[in-house]
Structures are given as structure tokens and as C-alpha cells.
């Protein structure tokens, strides 16, 4: 398995990784007629998003979505399925991937997002998504229908969590049961938080 490509959030002109989601309304390709195909072992869900937070709200700025090999020629020719009125462009750096760059596509998310930057490489595990405590800088952004209502810096709390977790294994050991390994794998793909 592989660590997954994470969604990003541009906040205060700095790019963060999306590390946790509590709420509803983030972009889901299937709700827009797209059928993502896994692009690689690093993108099992078949897509990843780039969001931006502005004074006006939360916007989808970029979407990479895996397409079926039969559909790749149409994407290369600029004839892929449109989204928000725009056809995708082909990205040769991601095989069989369509890239959408919608203009001002508001995201009606209600809830909170944990975003992190300055990932601590020594805590890397090649499985799923990295949790917030593995980043030095972490913020919780709360939205109502896509409008930012509050922002809180959780960097100190994540440092405390990190200190509590140090000394524990980052992944199951050799003596772990198949059920323990399966539960751990499933947990690394979850981005929900309390």
C-alpha cells in the first residue's frame, strides 16, 4: 500500500494538507456525474481536490480525477465530460487523469476541516492519509454553507497529542492479528475526527 494523495487547502496564501473532516458538503465527483477511477496505489479513491479559502468562502480550485483508459483519448483532445461549464485538460504527469480548474466553484460545506502543514517526515507511514498530529502547524476551520465562521490554531494541541503518541509503534507489529492489521488499514483511510 501507499500513502494517499491528500486534498489541499490554500488558506492565508499557504498550502495545507486536508487532514480531517467533520461535516458535509465537500466536493464529491459522483454528485456531478463523474465516475473516478483509481489512478494509482497513491489515489485509491480516484480523485483529489485543491480548495481555496477566501473572504467570500470555500471554493474548489482544482480537481484531478482518474478516468477510464477508454476515455483518456477524449480528455487528451479536450472533449472530456465538462464540469462547472469547463472541459478538463489532460495532465501528462498523472496518467489517465483529467484536470478541472473551475472558476469560482463555491463549495457549500458545513462543518469543520483540520488542515496541516510542515509534515514531520519521521512519522511517515506508507498507508492512507496522514493524521493532523503528524504536522507541526494545524488549524481547524469551521464553515457554514461554505462561509468561514471561525479559525482556530491547534498546533499546540497536536504537539501534545504527538508527545503522547511518541514511543508507540506507528503501524501494527509482526505479532498483530489479521483483524488488527485490517482495522489499522481502515483507520488510516478515514479522515473523520471528533
Amino acid at each position: 500500500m501507499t500513502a494517499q494523495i491528500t486534498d489541499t487547502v490554500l488558506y492565508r496564501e499557504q498550502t495545507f494538507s486536508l487532514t480531517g473532516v467533520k461535516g458535509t458538503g465537500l466536493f464529491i465527483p459522483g454528485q456531478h456525474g463523474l465516475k473516478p477511477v483509481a489512478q494509482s496505489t497513491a489515489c485509491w479513491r480516484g480523485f483529489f481536490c485543491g480548495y481555496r479559502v477566501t473572504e467570500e468562502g470555500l471554493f474548489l480550485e482544482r480537481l484531478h480525477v482518474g478516468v477510464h483508459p477508454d476515455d483518456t483519448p477524449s480528455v487528451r483532445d479536450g472533449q472530456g465530460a465538462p464540469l462547472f461549464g469547463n472541459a478538463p485538460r489532460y495532465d501528462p504527469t498523472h496518467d489517465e487523469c483529467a484536470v478541472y480548474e473551475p472558476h469560482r466553484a463555491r463549495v457549500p460545506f458545513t462543518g469543520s476541516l483540520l488542515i496541516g502543514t510542515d509534515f514531520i517526515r519521521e512519522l511517515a507511514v506508507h498507508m492512507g492519509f496522514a493524521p493532523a498530529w503528524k504536522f507541526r502547524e494545524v488549524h481547524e476551520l469551521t464553515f457554514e454553507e461554505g462561509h468561514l465562521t471561525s479559525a482556530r490554531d491547534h498546533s499546540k494541541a497536536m504537539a501534545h497529542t504527538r508527545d503522547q503518541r511518541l514511543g508507540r509503534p506507528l503501524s501494527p507489529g509482526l505479532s498483530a492479528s489479521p483483524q488488527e492489521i485490517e482495522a489499522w488499514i481502515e483507520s488510516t483511510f478515514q479522515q473523520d475526527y471528533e
Side-chain angles (χ1 to χ4, degrees):
M1 272 300 181
T2 310
Q4 297 297 290
I5 299 171
T6 187
D7 292 337
T8 59
V9 178
L10 188 64
Y11 173 64
R12 295 182 178 164
E13 299 308 315
Q14 184 175 2
T15 301
F16 291 82
S17 294
L18 180 58
T19 65
V21 178
K22 179 172 50 176
T24 60
L26 280 183
F27 182 82
I28 299 172
Q31 293 176 349
H32 297 271
L34 299 174
K35 297 176 182 169
V37 175
Q39 300 168 12
S40 70
T41 59
C43 193
W44 281 111
R45 64 185 179 159
F47 73 96
F48 55 98
C49 299
Y51 296 100
R52 175 187 285 266
V53 178
T54 71
E55 291 179 2
E56 288 99 31
L58 180 64
F59 294 88
L60 176 67
E61 271 203 335
R62 178 175 289 198
L63 168 67
H64 290 253
V65 62
V67 295
H68 190 276
D70 292 345
D71 297 330
T72 301
S74 64
V75 172
R76 283 187 183 144
D77 294 338
Q79 302 298 314
L83 177 67
F84 303 116
N86 297 318
R89 67 176 173 78
Y90 178 70
D91 181 357
T93 63
H94 292 90
D95 288 341
E96 298 165 353
C97 182
V99 180
Y100 293 91
E101 295 174 312
H103 179 68
R104 309 285 296 166
R106 183 178 291 281
V107 179
F109 178 75
T110 295
S112 297
L113 303 176
L114 280 180
I115 59 172
T117 190
D118 198 6
F119 180 70
I120 302 167
R121 296 274 175 225
E122 296 80 18
L123 300 177
V125 174
H126 291 290
M127 182 67 69
F129 298 101
W133 62 270
K134 292 185 177 185
F135 293 82
R136 287 190 177 87
E137 183 179 348
V138 178
H139 298 272
E140 183 178 43
L141 307 179
T142 302
F143 297 88
E144 182 66 39
E145 289 294 315
H147 296 283
L148 183 64
T149 59
S150 70
R152 294 175 43 199
D153 187 332
H154 285 301
S155 303
K156 287 183 182 177
M158 291 301 125
H160 179 71
T161 299
R162 197 166 42 251
D163 289 344
Q164 290 180 325
R165 289 182 157 290
L166 291 179
R168 292 192 222 165
L170 296 173
S171 60
L174 296 174
S175 63
S177 71
Q179 293 83 9
E180 290 171 318
I181 293 169
E182 186 176 319
W184 175 75
I185 290 171
E186 187 174 314
S187 73
T188 67
F189 280 83
Q190 299 299 315
Q191 288 190 297
D192 299 338
Y193 74 97
E194 295 297 324

